[in-house]
């Protein structure tokens, strides 16, 4: 009997390797696909004017119909776009550490981070590492790997993709009610950017979605708390997709 397919989409400035701890825990039950987003990893740099649709369209051919789609941060926005515009690809939708319908203050804060990324990329990367890992039990090797992945980005490409992350929730937000597949929205209780309030906001906007807040965790759930993340995703899929 063939295993169901799960597709894991990473966040801005990262690549497929961030999913290694999660993929290892899923491999016995799922065929796991971890593509690089356009503009990331082994893919060509993202051009000026790159949109959320460009990122989603650049991944669609990598996603078998009926996949369980899991997106992290920017990847969550991409996954939501795919669920809206390519619903045949998506059996369930899990949004991990996702933003949703930012308030004016939240938008001001992320646009300030976008300006820092454009003007001082090294400072932006250092701030991200601090925001994601400060006070966690994540070991130095994963912190180093994440820092190295961020630092390897083409700066212009990163800025183009970060602009999508900073603005595309306003694009996809009004259409969330049209997503009909079962949904899960999960974040860490201590995530300062993709906050528990945003996760509850997302779960309220999606017609068939529930929020899960993982206690004592920050943004990088796939690395910081992979077992807890896998447990809530697989429980959700088991309840809603009968796999």
């Amino acid at each position: 009997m063939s295993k169901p397919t799960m597709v894991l989409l990473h966040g801005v400035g990262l690549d497929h390797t961030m999913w290694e701890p999660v993929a290892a825990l899923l491999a016995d039950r799922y065929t796991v696909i971890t593509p690089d987003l356009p503009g990331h990893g082994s893919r060509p740099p993202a051009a000026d004017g790159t949109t959320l649709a460009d990122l989603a369209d650049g991944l669609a051919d990598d996603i078998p119909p009926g996949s369980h789609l899991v997106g992290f941060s920017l990847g969550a926005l991409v996954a939501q776009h795919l669920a809206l515009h390519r619903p045949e690809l998506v059996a369930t939708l899990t949004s991990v550490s996702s933003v949703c319908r930012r308030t004016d203050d939240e938008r001001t804060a992320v646009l300030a981070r976008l300006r820092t990324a454009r003007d001082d990329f090294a400072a932006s990367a250092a701030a991200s590492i601090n925001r994601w890992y400060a006070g966690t039990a994540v070991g130095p090797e994963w912190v180093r790997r994440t820092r190295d992945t961020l630092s390897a980005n083409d700066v212009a490409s990163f800025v183009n993709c970060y602009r999508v992350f900073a603005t595309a929730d306003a694009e996809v937000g009004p259409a969330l009610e049209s997503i009909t597949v079962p949904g899960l929205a999960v974040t860490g209780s201590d995530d300062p950017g993709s906050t528990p309030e945003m996760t509850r906001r997302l779960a309220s906007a999606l017609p068939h979605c529930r929020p899960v807040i993982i206690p004592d965790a920050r943004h990088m759930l796939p690395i910081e708390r992979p077992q807890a993340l896998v447990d809530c995703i697989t429980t959700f899929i088991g309840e809603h997709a009968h796999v």
Side-chain angles (χ1 to χ4, degrees):
M1 182 176 177
S2 62
K3 293 185 286 189
T5 299
M6 187 179 296
V7 179
L8 309 176
L9 305 181
H10 63 78
V12 65
L14 303 172
D15 66 11
H16 69 280
T17 61
M18 67 160 286
W19 288 113
E20 288 174 6
V22 166
L25 294 170
L26 291 166
D28 62 332
R29 289 163 285 176
Y30 294 88
T31 297
V32 180
I33 299 174
T34 56
D36 285 334
L37 271 63
H40 294 78
S42 60
R43 305 286 295 272
D48 292 348
T50 289
T51 65
L52 182 62
D54 293 331
L55 298 181
D57 291 347
L59 285 172
D61 289 344
D62 297 322
I63 302 173
S67 294
H68 298 291
L69 194 55
V70 179
F72 168 79
S73 198
L74 172 60
L77 295 176
V78 174
Q80 291 157 23
H81 187 279
L82 286 164
L84 280 166
H85 298 284
R86 295 294 304 273
E88 75 280 5
L89 301 179
V90 185
T92 64
L93 172 67
T94 298
S95 300
V96 181
S97 305
S98 179
V99 299
C100 180
R101 295 177 174 175
R102 288 182 177 99
T103 64
D104 289 343
D105 286 346
E106 289 164 349
R107 189 164 307 284
T108 296
V110 75
L111 290 175
R113 294 200 295 272
L114 174 61
R115 287 192 296 273
T116 300
R118 183 191 62 212
D119 298 338
D120 189 345
F121 178 72
S124 171
S128 293
I129 294 296
N130 184 68
R131 193 165 59 248
W132 298 344
Y133 290 133
T136 73
V138 174
E141 178 62 15
W142 265 112
V143 175
R144 181 197 64 76
R145 288 184 62 180
T146 306
R147 184 184 295 111
D148 288 350
T149 301
L150 275 176
S151 299
N153 275 275
D154 176 279
V155 174
S157 177
F158 176 85
V159 170
N160 291 334
C161 292
Y162 201 94
R163 184 174 290 108
V164 175
F165 171 68
T167 60
D169 62 300
E171 172 190 340
V172 75
L176 290 172
E177 288 84 355
S178 299
I179 294 176
T180 58
V181 299
L184 174 69
V186 55
T187 199
S189 64
D190 303 330
D191 191 329
S194 303
T195 62
E197 173 56 32
M198 284 190 185
T199 284
R200 287 187 280 266
R201 206 179 292 163
L202 178 60
S204 295
L206 291 168
H208 309 288
C209 184
R210 72 165 181 258
V212 173
I213 311 301
I214 294 179
D216 303 316
R218 291 177 73 86
H219 187 61
M220 294 290 283
L221 288 176
I223 294 172
E224 184 185 354
R225 299 289 294 280
Q227 186 67 66
L229 179 59
V230 165
D231 288 347
C232 68
I233 293 172
T234 55
T235 298
F236 153 68
I237 292 174
E239 292 172 351
H240 292 274
H242 309 293
V243 298

